[in-house]
Each structure stands twice: as structure tokens, then as C-alpha cells.
Amino acid sequence: MSGRSYIKSIKRDSKGWEIHPTVFWISAGLIIFFVAMGLCLVDQTKAVFDSIRFVISEKAGWLLILLVDIFLGFVIYLLFSRYGKLRIGGPKAKPEFSYHSWFAMLFSAGMGIGLLFYSVAEPVMHFSAPPKGEANTIQSAQYAMDITFFHWGLHAWGIYAMVGLALAFFCYSKGLPLTIRSVFHPLIGERVHGTLGNVIDIVAVVATLFGLATSLGLGAQQVNAGLDHLFHIGHNTMLQIILIAIITGFATMSVVLGIDKGIRRLSEFNMVIGLVLLLFMLFLGPTLFIFDSFVQNIGSYLQRLTEFSTWTESYRQSKWQNGWTIFYWGWWIAWSPFVGMFIARVSKGRTVREFLLGVLLVPTVLTFLWITVFGGTALFEELYGGGGITEAVNENVATALFVLLKRFPMAFITCLLGVIVVATFFVTSSDSGSLVIDIITAGGNTHPPLKQRVFWAIMEGVVASVLLIGGGLKALQAASILTGFPFAIVLFFMCVSLLKGLRETRAKEVVVPPCIKDRKAWEKDHIKLPCLTDNQEKIEYGIEEIT
């Protein structure tokens, strides 16, 4: 069965649903089962989550670290390889969105809520409790920024770039459905449309939904913290569940508006409000320190990149890495079907090299700038401004951003802007996430019925609420690790399949003239051959494509 006939085989039923019945109902059933267990057996569910998280972190943490290194290495290889000139969607494909809109959607989908939650909290927590060295020193401040950059930098975006490229390539260049299963066509052939493909998509749906629920749960905690700072409404799980319900309602409205009017406009709005907040802190905070440390932080991060990438605490034998690096890698991997598919959906017409440069470097630099401005300012306050942020963060990590903003003029306005940015990131994450899950469960149909996206948007909010009830931040972290680890194995084979697909495509596009004996040398030099003097022959043999 071809990709197009596979999509056509999934027809709208009498009630207006257009789904892949196996993927949709099994995925929904597993998630509803978890919700029921989370509500009826709160303590038992929490204990199971804790046990599974412990086993994965302790026994297989080294494998997760190694796999994420492989993903980044693979993306860097593709960036400089001969496949960089291939265009997603074919040689004549044109980008649908401008660079400005494209970058805005990349950044909003890829980091968003999590970056706002941890940009102040993480550097401060590493500063006061570093995995190595003495706490609360200049050295621990630099180390705190290095490790924060490591968690939010090239490794995270390398995962997204790899998954996004694979999905975009097999959908737009190969004509296969926009689902995770399609990426494995070079490895398993037409079986991607059968049981094995169903299993791949179901794992992707569950991983994506729990990864999204983690971010939405963090967002609800932070919105609650911000509103409490502004209006003293209190800070508890019930308020956070109410906030999830309200913001999910706005996400549903965005779903109705669609990508162009909904996600795109909200993403651009996020960027504008975020930029205002960034400039405020940049110029009213320790400006010179921020500029100095931005340059130094990038240099120090690059120097320590190999060390951090291969560090597994084998001699230290502490639990620090389990709560940080392992959690982050699991979270990014669990998010990767969502972010990767969304990036693929908005990246048709880009070359492979343009795609990888855009996804890997631009959001990474923006992320580093944000962390330096907010996290760096918090560290400056701890070192030279009288401290006090560490105590607030240790008491409630969700308050970190607002505790920092209250130290500067116009605190009410900036805290309100902070709440708005978190809330709009919540909406774009929920909206784009429901789109991605709906596409997978609709068999790759990129325009599934509206009611299905609404269903998944509501489901994301419900799962986030259940995780908050079942253990708060620790439950959110456990969910990411639990779903991220098995999907990491899937991503490894995705790399193999993508490489095979790129090789096959390039071999078809570049036809070597019969008079050439050394194909590799010819491809490398991209020379015009003297034995082909007729222009028609050059066109026939594909010379114009590579010279």
C-alpha cells in the first residue's frame, strides 16, 4: 500500500471522525486507563512511577546519555554532508512561512514553558547545590551556567532537528503520511502500514502526550505562582487544575482558528512579549555583566561540552544526574514527536542544510541569551546583590522568575507580562501538540476534523492535572523519563532509516555519466566533464543539479 492510498483508506465515519482506529483507540485507551488509575489509586500510581523512574535512571541512564550524544553527532554529520543540498519537498518546493514566522514557531514549540520555568531556577539551584565543587562561589556560578546551557543547548535541539528532518523528508519528499511510522519505510518497507507501524505510532502518541503534560503542568504551577505574587490568590494544586482548565479553553479557541491564524499569530505574539521582558531585564539589570557573561558562558559551555556529554557519575555515585540530565533527556525525547512533527509541518521547502542550521543553531543561541539574561541576573544578585533568591527557589521553584522580577522597577507590570508569556506558551504548546497527536492518530492526515484536535487538547490538560494530583513536579519528571526512554530506542533506528532514505534519494537525483569511473571523486569535485559537450546530455545526466 502506498502512502497516498494509505491515507485515503482512512475515511470519515458517519459521526464525523476521521481516525486510524487501531492507533486512536489504543492510544486513547492507554491514556484514559492512566487517568483512571491516577485518580482512583493516587498513592499506588505515585509509587509505581517512582519505582520505574528509579530503575530507568539507575540502570539505563548511561544508555540514554549515549543515545542523545549519537543523535547530536548524527545531525552534525548531516549538516556538513553531501545531503545538505537536498530540498524538502523536491527541487521546486518553496517555504510556506517567512524566516521570522518560522523561527518564532520553532522557539515557541521547542522550549516555551520549560525555559520560563527553569531559566532562573536551574542556575540558582546548581549554584547553591552543584554536583561538583564548593557551593555559592564564583566557580559554582560559572559551573551552574555551563550545566544549564548543556541541558538546554545543542543536545536538546539536536533531537528535535533529527526527528523533524526525518518526518519532513519522508512526508514531503517521499509522499508518505506525516506520521512517525513513515520514517521507518526504508527499514521495514510496507510493514509500516501494518501492526509494527501501529505500535510505533502508539508509542509516539503516548510519549508525546506525557511530554506535553509535563510542560503544561510546569506552566500551570508557574502561572499560579505569578498570580499569587500579583494578587495573593494562594498556591495549591486545585488552583493549578482550574488554571489548566481555563488555559486549555483558550487553547481550544486557538485550535479552531488553525495554524495560520492561531499558532502562528500566538507564536509571534509570544516572541514580542518575551522580547519586551528580555530587553527590560537586559537594560535595567546588570547590563555589562550580562554581555560579558554571555560571551564567556558560550565559550565555557563549548569547552566543557565533551565532558558533560560523557559524564555518567560512575565514580561519584550520587543521585544528582538522575534528577537533572536524565530527566531532561527523557523530557526532550518524549517531546520530540510533537516538536519534530510540528517543525516538519512548517518547514517544507527548506534545504536539509538550511533546516538543520535553522533548527539547531538559531533557537539554541536565543535560548542561551534568555538563560544568561535571567539566570545570569539571578546569579549576579546572589553574588553581589544581597542574595535571597536561593531561599525562595528552594521553597517553591515555580516562583523563581517572579522573585527575580520583584527586585526591579515596575515589578507588577513585568510579573504580569511573565504570567501572560507563560499562559500564551501554554496555549501554543497545547494547540500545536493536539494537532500533532491528531495527525498521528488520523493516519497522517494533516487536516483532520476539528473535533479530534479539541479532544486531544482536553486530554492533555486532563493528564497534566492528574500528574499534579499524583505527585506534582516529581510525577511530571517521572512521566517524561518513563515515556522518553523507550522512545529513545525508536529514535536510534530512526537515524539509521533516515540515512538510508537520504542515500537512496541522492542516488536517484544524481546520475553519474557513463564515462566516469570514480563516482566519489566526481561527486566531491562537482566538475563539468569534457566528455559531455552537448547541453542536452548535461541535463540528461543531472549535471546542472550539482554544479
Side-chain angles (χ1 to χ4, degrees):
M1 181 187 296
S2 68
R4 289 185 178 85
S5 60
Y6 170 77
I7 294 176
K8 290 179 180 179
S9 68
I10 299 173
K11 298 181 179 179
R12 188 167 300 193
D13 62 21
S14 58
K15 296 182 180 180
W17 292 83
E18 191 170 331
I19 60 174
H20 185 293
T22 303
V23 176
F24 182 93
W25 290 116
I26 293 180
S27 300
L30 289 172
I31 294 164
I32 292 171
F33 174 78
F34 162 77
V35 170
M37 292 298 98
L39 292 175
C40 299
L41 303 171
V42 177
D43 294 335
Q44 293 87 335
T45 302
K46 182 177 181 296
V48 170
F49 262 61
D50 289 343
S51 299
I52 295 175
R53 176 186 177 183
F54 174 80
V55 170
I56 292 176
S57 299
E58 289 293 317
K59 306 300 182 183
W62 65 271
L63 179 58
L64 196 60
I65 289 170
L66 180 62
L67 286 173
V68 173
D69 290 341
I70 290 173
F71 301 152
L72 177 59
F74 177 67
V75 167
I76 293 173
Y77 162 72
L78 292 181
L79 180 62
F80 295 101
S81 73
R82 57 188 178 177
Y83 308 113
K85 292 185 177 181
L86 294 177
R87 188 171 295 277
I88 298 169
K92 296 182 180 180
K94 301 295 182 183
E96 182 179 357
F97 300 99
S98 67
Y99 278 116
H100 174 264
S101 297
W102 188 49
F103 291 143
M105 288 189 284
L106 293 183
F107 189 75
S108 297
M111 291 300 175
I113 294 172
L115 185 59
L116 288 163
F117 191 90
Y118 280 111
S119 60
V120 175
E122 185 174 352
V124 169
M125 294 173 79
H126 296 331
F127 169 73
S128 60
K132 296 179 182 180
E134 185 180 351
N136 303 314
T137 64
I138 293 175
Q139 289 73 27
S140 67
Q142 179 66 77
Y143 194 87
M145 294 304 291
D146 293 344
I147 200 72
T148 305
F149 273 27
F150 172 61
H151 289 151
W152 292 87
L154 294 174
H155 282 76
W157 286 100
I159 296 170
Y160 298 155
M162 188 273 291
V163 177
L165 177 61
L167 288 166
F169 174 75
F170 283 101
C171 175
Y172 297 119
S173 296
K174 293 292 189 179
L176 293 170
L178 186 59
T179 62
I180 303 297
R181 71 172 75 204
S182 297
V183 179
F184 297 90
H185 192 274
L187 293 182
I188 60 177
E190 292 303 308
R191 284 182 293 170
V192 295
H193 304 308
T195 301
L196 189 55
N198 293 341
V199 171
I200 292 171
D201 277 351
I202 290 167
V203 172
V205 169
V206 175
T208 301
L209 195 134
F210 277 91
L212 278 164
T214 299
S215 294
L216 302 187
L218 295 178
Q221 289 183 335
Q222 196 168 27
V223 170
N224 187 185
L227 293 176
D228 184 42
H229 264 70
L230 293 171
F231 306 111
H232 308 289
I233 64 172
H235 193 275
N236 56 64
T237 302
M238 184 53 64
L239 280 172
Q240 291 158 19
I241 293 173
I242 293 172
L243 287 170
I244 287 175
I246 293 172
I247 302 175
T248 298
F250 284 105
T252 303
M253 293 173 59
S254 180
V255 165
V256 173
L257 291 173
I259 288 183
D260 190 59
K261 294 182 179 179
I263 298 174
R264 182 183 64 83
R265 290 183 179 178
L266 273 176
S267 297
E268 293 174 350
F269 176 75
N270 283 346
M271 293 294 287
V272 172
I273 300 299
L275 181 61
V276 170
L277 205 58
L278 184 78
L279 293 175
F280 171 86
M281 185 60 67
L282 178 62
F283 291 111
L284 290 185
T287 306
L288 183 59
F289 172 81
I290 290 171
F291 283 126
D292 283 343
S293 60
F294 181 61
V295 176
Q296 182 170 315
N297 290 341
I298 291 178
S300 185
Y301 160 74
L302 293 174
Q303 291 176 46
R304 283 178 159 163
L305 186 59
T306 303
E307 174 194 345
F308 288 151
S309 299
T310 54
W311 181 49
T312 58
E313 284 195 307
S314 56
Y315 297 102
R316 191 167 182 263
Q317 294 289 306
S318 77
K319 308 299 180 187
W320 184 92
Q321 197 173 48
N322 294 346
W324 287 105
T325 306
I326 300 301
F327 157 62
Y328 275 123
W329 285 186
W331 190 12
W332 303 151
I333 290 170
W335 249 47
S336 64
F338 151 55
V339 180
M341 187 172 292
F342 183 73
I343 292 173
R345 178 68 178 78
V346 299
S347 298
K348 183 180 179 181
R350 310 283 178 189
T351 66
V352 169
R353 185 166 292 116
E354 181 185 12
F355 177 94
L356 294 178
L357 282 172
V359 177
L360 191 62
L361 297 184
V362 175
T364 297
V365 172
L366 290 174
T367 299
F368 287 172
L369 178 61
W370 185 280
I371 292 172
T372 299
V373 171
F374 288 93
T377 300
L379 292 178
F380 183 87
E381 289 292 306
E382 289 298 281
L383 288 169
Y384 308 111
I389 297 178
T390 298
E391 290 76 9
V393 170
N394 289 335
E395 183 179 346
N396 184 356
V397 66
T399 65
L401 176 64
F402 306 105
V403 170
L404 175 65
L405 292 174
K406 288 188 72 173
R407 292 180 172 236
F408 295 90
M410 298 184 291
F412 182 87
I413 295 175
T414 55
C415 286
L416 183 60
L417 285 177
V419 171
I420 292 172
V421 172
V422 175
T424 51
F425 271 128
F426 189 124
V427 172
T428 54
S429 296
S430 178
D431 185 359
S432 50
S434 62
L435 171 64
V436 165
I437 294 175
D438 195 13
I439 289 173
I440 298 174
T441 55
N445 178 9
T446 54
H447 297 89
L450 181 61
K451 64 172 69 177
Q452 296 172 203
R453 288 177 61 187
V454 172
F455 169 82
W456 289 113
I458 294 172
M459 190 64 71
E460 290 156 13
V462 170
V463 172
S465 301
V466 171
L467 289 173
L468 288 175
I469 294 171
L473 183 59
K474 289 186 177 179
L476 296 172
Q477 292 177 336
S480 292
I481 295 172
L482 173 62
T483 55
F485 178 76
F487 199 68
I489 308 299
V490 176
L491 295 191
F492 175 78
F493 289 101
M494 184 181 289
C495 292
V496 178
S497 187
L498 174 59
L499 183 60
K500 186 175 180 181
L502 289 170
R503 283 176 177 170
E504 291 173 353
T505 298
R506 192 172 186 279
K508 290 179 181 178
E509 288 191 6
V510 179
V511 181
V512 180
C515 60
I516 296 301
K517 304 300 182 182
D518 190 342
R519 176 190 176 102
K520 291 184 178 179
W522 179 80
E523 291 179 350
K524 181 179 179 181
D525 295 335
H526 291 180
I527 58 173
K528 291 185 177 181
L529 302 172
C531 58
L532 294 177
T533 57
D534 183 74
N535 189 55
Q536 185 59 40
E537 265 190 285
K538 292 181 181 181
I539 295 174
E540 180 183 349
Y541 287 117
I543 303 299
E544 289 188 347
E545 286 293 318
I546 63 170
T547 55

